[in-house]
Amino acid sequence: MAPLVKLLVPAGFGILFHRLTGVGWEYSAVCLAVSWAAAWYFADRRAGGGAGPYPWLAVFFLFAWACSFFPLRDPGIPDGEYIRAEAVISESAAEGRWRQAVGTVTAYRTSAGDGWRKARFGVQLYLDSTYTARAGQRILVKGYFNRFHPADGSYGALMTRRGTYGRMYITEGSLLGAGDTRTGFISGIHLFAVQKSSRLPGDRDKVAVASAMVSGQRRTIPREVREDYRNGGGAHLLAVSGLHVGIVFVLVNLMLWFVPLFRKGHIIRNLLAVCLIWLFAAAAGLSPSIQRAALMFSFMQFSLARGTRRHALNGLAASAFIMLALDPDLAGDPGFVLSYTAVLAILLYFGPLYSLVKTRSRIVNALAGIYIVGMVASLAVAPFVSYWFGRIPLAGIAVNPAVILTAHVIVAAGVVWLVWPFPFGGEVFGMTAQWAVTAQNGIMTWCASLDGAAVEVRLPLWAAVGIYCGIVLLSVPLARYCALRREKVLDSLG
């Protein structure tokens, strides 16, 4: 197993330990110092024998200590309390009369007049449609804080687990001020991407889907289209995330295939690829989920340059390690967990499964590879999707490989449309994206119309973890079988 992957185990248990016990930072700091000193002492005394379990204990207490500075986000504001709050919008979308946005409150004060309090919790904002909310904006608002209740069902429980504890309705008079937390350069890139992607040729509803998948602007997607994607198991396609950044990652590496032919070409290709990944992230709005995905694939880019799956696993683990160190609360964030689970499954299982179906035809191999990637990712996240969202989209799992293919076409054509510098020829890419959106919408509408397209079941956490443990146990004979088959193929060729 890759060394950095091993470090994630004590790191995860350290986060869990703090969340269950709530110990203070002093206790964790003392234990961290003792275990670190023991690791150093025994590593010095045992020549070649290692430092025993003490380095793992040091990582365990390091993350338990880090969690002390990221307290649970629930501010304890009573339901219906009138507050003033400063919040940063992370994402927004149209919702009929209101523009629905999710923001992170950084400070608030109550009607009791006891001064401003620093905070870090999520709030769902419903803003008057006369106001245009953009990801990255910092706003000062006033209004009633309505906490999520058990009556909100699974949606309220999901939002609470994600650190969003209530909602506020903001009318024009309730908005006291607005600014932008991002630099003018980054905001300009995103605004350019939104404006140009909205000028794609074709039907406006389909243009809205393509624009959402390229620029992250989802406000113009019709409600019925969003419902079809949600019921058909394809809601993740409409929100720029790890899937979209991963598509750009693949396309950039294909585009730069020739660069290693030159002197120091490998280094140049990796640097260019990382820059282009972050450029796409900026064009898509640079929301927290997009930043995490860009960081993850940046590590993957440099790791894959070493050419082995072991280094790729190390790169994936390193990005997760850094992000958890900066914000341990990410360990419970659905987007973070689902993204890393999907990518980890692809790294572990794509190679063995692909070797079982590989043929002499490049076209068949390419289609088989896309299908395996989609199937592995969908099955890998299914237990966690059931745990967090209370449903398993069976139809979505079945057709996910097909929509991943259309997503590749939409993102690729959309990105080329954004950077196309000539006044002619760009319509080809626009119409290509239009065709792919038509196919993708059709698949999602068909899936949503099926009886039993999704199973409404919420797995408890222990059941989801148990399923993953079972998958790991079953993977051992699969790996052995694939290794034996590979040896037979090599013997036949030899």
Side-chain angles (χ1 to χ4, degrees), residues 73 91 100 102 122-124 148-167 230 235 329 332-338 383-391 458-459:
R73 301 176 179 180
E91 57 181 85
Q100 183 177 333
V102 177
V123 63
Q124 194 170 57
F148 288 115
H149 295 286
D152 293 312
S154 59
Y155 177 76
L158 170 65
M159 297 302 288
T160 300
R161 280 194 294 268
R162 299 184 70 172
T164 300
Y165 292 97
R167 56 171 68 93
R230 188 182 73 84
D329 279 344
D333 182 86
F336 176 85
V337 175
L338 294 177
F384 278 146
V385 168
S386 175
Y387 166 68
W388 269 304
F389 301 100
R391 58 164 42 196
R458 183 179 297 279
L459 290 175

Coordinates of all heavy atoms in Angstrom, one line a residue, residues 73 91 100 102 122-124 148-167 230 235 329 332-338 383-391 458-459:
R73 N -19.9 23.4 13.8 CA -20.4 24.6 13.2 C -21.7 25.1 13.8 O -22.0 26.3 13.6 CB -20.5 24.4 11.7 CG -19.2 24.0 11.1 CD -19.4 23.8 9.6 NE -18.2 23.4 8.9 CZ -18.1 23.1 7.6 NH1 -19.1 23.1 6.9 NH2 -16.9 22.8 7.1
E91 N -22.4 28.9 -3.7 CA -23.1 28.5 -4.9 C -24.5 29.1 -4.9 O -25.0 29.3 -3.9 CB -23.1 27.0 -5.1 CG -23.8 26.2 -3.9 CD -23.8 24.7 -4.1 OE1 -22.8 24.1 -3.8 OE2 -24.8 24.2 -4.7
Q100 N -32.0 30.7 -4.9 CA -31.5 29.9 -3.8 C -30.0 29.9 -3.8 O -29.3 29.7 -4.8 CB -32.0 28.5 -3.9 CG -31.6 27.6 -2.7 CD -32.2 26.3 -2.9 OE1 -33.3 26.1 -3.5 NE2 -31.6 25.3 -2.3
V102 N -26.3 29.0 -1.2 CA -25.7 28.4 0.0 C -24.5 29.3 0.4 O -23.7 29.5 -0.5 CB -25.3 26.9 -0.2 CG1 -24.7 26.4 1.0 CG2 -26.5 26.1 -0.6
G122 N -23.0 26.9 7.8 CA -23.7 27.2 6.6 C -25.1 27.7 6.8 O -25.7 27.4 7.8
V123 N -25.6 28.4 5.8 CA -27.0 28.9 5.8 C -27.5 28.8 4.4 O -26.8 29.2 3.5 CB -27.1 30.3 6.4 CG1 -26.3 31.3 5.6 CG2 -28.5 30.7 6.6
Q124 N -28.7 28.4 4.3 CA -29.4 28.4 3.0 C -30.1 29.8 2.8 O -31.0 30.1 3.6 CB -30.3 27.3 2.9 CG -30.8 27.0 1.5 CD -31.6 25.7 1.4 OE1 -32.6 25.5 2.1 NE2 -31.1 24.7 0.6
F148 N -33.5 24.1 10.5 CA -34.1 22.9 9.9 C -34.7 22.1 11.0 O -34.2 21.9 12.1 CB -33.0 22.1 9.1 CG -32.6 22.7 7.8 CD1 -31.3 23.2 7.7 CD2 -33.5 22.9 6.8 CE1 -30.9 23.8 6.5 CE2 -33.1 23.5 5.6 CZ -31.8 23.9 5.5
H149 N -35.9 21.5 10.7 CA -36.7 20.7 11.6 C -36.8 19.3 11.2 O -36.5 19.0 10.0 CB -38.1 21.3 11.8 CG -38.1 22.7 12.5 ND1 -37.8 22.9 13.8 CD2 -38.3 23.9 11.9 CE1 -37.9 24.2 14.0 NE2 -38.2 24.8 12.9
P150 N -37.1 18.4 12.0 CA -37.4 17.0 11.6 C -38.4 16.9 10.5 O -38.4 16.0 9.7 CB -37.9 16.3 12.9 CG -37.2 17.1 14.0 CD -37.2 18.5 13.5
A151 N -39.4 17.9 10.5 CA -40.4 17.9 9.4 C -39.8 18.1 8.0 O -40.4 17.8 7.0 CB -41.4 19.0 9.7
D152 N -38.6 18.7 8.0 CA -37.9 18.9 6.7 C -37.4 17.5 6.1 O -36.9 17.5 4.9 CB -36.7 19.8 6.8 CG -37.2 21.2 7.1 OD1 -38.1 21.7 6.5 OD2 -36.6 21.8 8.1
G153 N -37.5 16.5 6.9 CA -37.2 15.1 6.4 C -35.7 14.9 6.1 O -34.8 15.5 6.7
S154 N -35.4 14.1 5.1 CA -34.0 13.7 4.8 C -33.2 14.9 4.3 O -32.0 15.0 4.5 CB -34.0 12.6 3.8 OG -34.7 13.0 2.6
Y155 N -33.9 15.9 3.6 CA -33.2 17.0 3.1 C -32.6 17.9 4.3 O -31.5 18.3 4.2 CB -34.1 17.9 2.3 CG -33.5 19.2 1.8 CD1 -32.6 19.1 0.7 CD2 -33.7 20.4 2.4 CE1 -32.0 20.3 0.2 CE2 -33.1 21.5 1.9 CZ -32.3 21.5 0.8 OH -31.7 22.6 0.4
G156 N -33.5 18.1 5.3 CA -33.0 18.9 6.4 C -31.8 18.1 7.2 O -30.9 18.8 7.6
A157 N -32.0 16.8 7.3 CA -30.9 16.0 8.0 C -29.6 16.1 7.2 O -28.5 16.2 7.7 CB -31.4 14.6 8.1
L158 N -29.7 16.0 5.8 CA -28.5 16.1 5.0 C -27.9 17.4 5.1 O -26.6 17.5 5.3 CB -28.9 15.9 3.5 CG -27.8 16.1 2.5 CD1 -26.7 15.2 2.7 CD2 -28.4 16.1 1.1
M159 N -28.6 18.5 5.0 CA -28.1 19.9 5.2 C -27.4 20.1 6.5 O -26.3 20.7 6.6 CB -29.1 20.9 4.9 CG -29.7 20.9 3.5 SD -28.5 21.1 2.2 CE -28.1 22.8 2.4
T160 N -28.0 19.5 7.6 CA -27.4 19.6 8.9 C -26.1 18.9 9.0 O -25.1 19.4 9.6 CB -28.4 19.1 10.0 OG1 -29.6 19.8 9.9 CG2 -27.8 19.2 11.4
R161 N -26.0 17.7 8.4 CA -24.8 17.0 8.4 C -23.7 17.7 7.6 O -22.5 17.5 7.9 CB -25.0 15.6 7.8 CG -25.6 14.6 8.8 CD -25.4 13.2 8.3 NE -26.2 12.9 7.1 CZ -27.5 12.5 7.0 NH1 -28.1 12.2 8.2 NH2 -28.1 12.3 5.9
R162 N -24.1 18.5 6.6 CA -23.1 19.3 5.8 C -22.8 20.6 6.5 O -22.0 21.4 5.9 CB -23.7 19.5 4.4 CG -24.0 18.2 3.7 CD -24.4 18.5 2.2 NE -23.3 19.0 1.4 CZ -23.4 19.2 0.1 NH1 -24.6 18.9 -0.5 NH2 -22.4 19.7 -0.6
G163 N -23.3 20.8 7.7 CA -22.9 22.1 8.4 C -23.8 23.2 8.1 O -23.5 24.4 8.4
T164 N -25.0 23.0 7.4 CA -25.9 24.1 7.1 C -27.1 23.9 8.0 O -27.9 22.9 7.8 CB -26.3 24.0 5.6 OG1 -25.2 24.2 4.8 CG2 -27.3 25.1 5.2
Y165 N -27.3 24.8 8.9 CA -28.3 24.6 10.0 C -29.6 25.3 9.9 O -30.5 25.1 10.7 CB -27.6 25.0 11.3 CG -26.5 24.1 11.7 CD1 -25.1 24.4 11.4 CD2 -26.7 22.8 12.3 CE1 -24.1 23.6 11.7 CE2 -25.6 22.0 12.6 CZ -24.3 22.4 12.3 OH -23.3 21.5 12.6
G166 N -29.7 26.1 8.9 CA -31.0 26.8 8.7 C -31.1 27.6 7.4 O -30.2 27.5 6.6
R167 N -32.2 28.4 7.3 CA -32.4 29.2 6.1 C -32.8 30.6 6.5 O -33.4 30.8 7.5 CB -33.4 28.5 5.2 CG -34.8 28.3 5.9 CD -35.8 27.8 4.8 NE -35.5 26.5 4.3 CZ -36.0 25.4 4.8 NH1 -36.8 25.4 5.9 NH2 -35.8 24.2 4.3
R230 N -32.3 15.0 -11.3 CA -32.3 14.5 -9.9 C -32.9 13.1 -9.8 O -32.4 12.2 -9.2 CB -33.0 15.5 -9.0 CG -32.9 15.1 -7.5 CD -33.7 16.1 -6.6 NE -35.1 15.9 -6.8 CZ -35.8 15.0 -6.0 NH1 -35.1 14.3 -5.1 NH2 -37.1 14.8 -6.2
A235 N -27.9 14.3 -11.1 CA -27.8 15.6 -10.6 C -26.4 16.1 -10.5 O -26.1 17.3 -10.6 CB -28.5 15.7 -9.2
D329 N -13.1 19.1 9.2 CA -14.5 18.9 9.0 C -14.9 18.3 7.6 O -16.0 17.8 7.4 CB -15.3 20.3 9.2 CG -15.5 20.6 10.6 OD1 -15.4 19.7 11.5 OD2 -15.9 21.8 10.9
G332 N -16.4 14.8 7.0 CA -17.8 14.5 7.0 C -18.6 15.2 5.9 O -19.8 15.2 5.9
D333 N -17.9 15.8 5.0 CA -18.5 16.5 3.9 C -18.8 15.5 2.7 O -17.9 14.9 2.2 CB -17.6 17.6 3.3 CG -18.3 18.4 2.2 OD1 -19.0 19.4 2.5 OD2 -18.1 18.1 1.1
P334 N -20.1 15.4 2.3 CA -20.4 14.4 1.3 C -19.6 14.6 0.0 O -19.2 13.6 -0.6 CB -21.9 14.6 1.0 CG -22.4 15.2 2.3 CD -21.3 16.1 2.8
G335 N -19.5 15.9 -0.5 CA -18.7 16.1 -1.7 C -17.3 15.6 -1.6 O -16.8 15.0 -2.6
F336 N -16.6 15.9 -0.5 CA -15.3 15.5 -0.3 C -15.2 14.0 -0.3 O -14.3 13.4 -1.1 CB -14.7 16.1 1.0 CG -13.3 15.6 1.3 CD1 -12.2 16.3 0.8 CD2 -13.1 14.5 2.2 CE1 -10.9 15.9 1.1 CE2 -11.9 14.1 2.5 CZ -10.8 14.8 2.0
V337 N -16.0 13.3 0.4 CA -15.9 11.8 0.6 C -16.3 11.2 -0.7 O -15.6 10.2 -1.1 CB -16.9 11.4 1.7 CG1 -16.9 9.9 1.8 CG2 -16.4 12.0 3.1
L338 N -17.3 11.6 -1.4 CA -17.8 11.0 -2.6 C -16.7 11.1 -3.7 O -16.4 10.2 -4.5 CB -19.1 11.5 -3.1 CG -20.3 11.2 -2.2 CD1 -21.5 11.9 -2.7 CD2 -20.5 9.7 -2.1
P383 N -23.0 3.2 -1.6 CA -23.4 3.1 -0.2 C -23.4 4.4 0.5 O -24.3 4.7 1.3 CB -22.2 2.2 0.4 CG -21.8 1.3 -0.8 CD -21.9 2.3 -2.0
F384 N -22.4 5.3 0.2 CA -22.4 6.6 0.8 C -23.5 7.5 0.3 O -24.1 8.3 1.0 CB -21.1 7.3 0.6 CG -20.0 6.9 1.5 CD1 -18.7 6.8 1.1 CD2 -20.3 6.6 2.8 CE1 -17.7 6.4 2.0 CE2 -19.3 6.2 3.7 CZ -18.0 6.1 3.3
V385 N -23.9 7.3 -1.0 CA -25.0 8.1 -1.5 C -26.3 7.7 -0.8 O -27.1 8.6 -0.4 CB -25.2 7.8 -3.0 CG1 -26.5 8.3 -3.5 CG2 -24.1 8.5 -3.8
S386 N -26.5 6.4 -0.5 CA -27.6 5.9 0.3 C -27.6 6.5 1.7 O -28.6 6.9 2.2 CB -27.7 4.4 0.3 OG -28.7 4.0 1.1
Y387 N -26.4 6.5 2.3 CA -26.3 7.0 3.7 C -26.6 8.5 3.8 O -27.4 8.9 4.7 CB -24.9 6.8 4.2 CG -24.5 7.5 5.4 CD1 -25.1 7.2 6.7 CD2 -23.6 8.5 5.4 CE1 -24.8 7.9 7.8 CE2 -23.3 9.3 6.6 CZ -23.9 8.9 7.8 OH -23.6 9.6 8.9
W388 N -26.2 9.3 2.8 CA -26.4 10.8 2.9 C -27.7 11.2 2.3 O -28.3 12.1 2.8 CB -25.2 11.5 2.2 CG -24.1 11.8 3.2 CD1 -24.2 12.5 4.3 CD2 -22.7 11.4 3.0 NE1 -22.9 12.6 4.9 CE2 -22.0 12.0 4.2 CE3 -22.0 10.7 2.1 CZ2 -20.6 11.8 4.4 CZ3 -20.6 10.6 2.3 CH2 -20.0 11.1 3.4
F389 N -28.0 10.6 1.2 CA -29.2 11.1 0.4 C -30.4 10.3 0.5 O -31.5 10.7 0.0 CB -28.8 11.3 -1.1 CG -27.7 12.3 -1.3 CD1 -26.4 11.8 -1.5 CD2 -27.9 13.6 -1.2 CE1 -25.3 12.6 -1.7 CE2 -26.8 14.5 -1.4 CZ -25.5 14.0 -1.6
G390 N -30.3 9.1 1.1 CA -31.5 8.3 1.3 C -32.1 7.6 0.1 O -33.2 7.2 0.1
R391 N -31.2 7.4 -0.9 CA -31.7 6.8 -2.2 C -30.6 6.2 -2.9 O -29.4 6.7 -2.8 CB -32.5 7.7 -3.1 CG -31.7 8.9 -3.5 CD -32.3 9.7 -4.7 NE -33.7 9.8 -4.6 CZ -34.5 10.1 -5.6 NH1 -33.9 10.3 -6.8 NH2 -35.8 10.3 -5.5
R458 N -32.2 4.4 3.2 CA -31.1 5.1 3.8 C -30.3 4.1 4.7 O -30.8 3.6 5.7 CB -31.7 6.2 4.7 CG -30.5 7.1 5.4 CD -31.1 8.2 6.2 NE -31.9 9.1 5.4 CZ -31.3 10.1 4.7 NH1 -30.0 10.3 4.7 NH2 -32.1 10.9 4.0
L459 N -29.1 3.8 4.3 CA -28.3 2.9 5.0 C -27.7 3.6 6.2 O -27.3 4.8 6.2 CB -27.1 2.4 4.1 CG -27.4 1.5 3.0 CD1 -26.2 1.2 2.2 CD2 -28.0 0.2 3.5

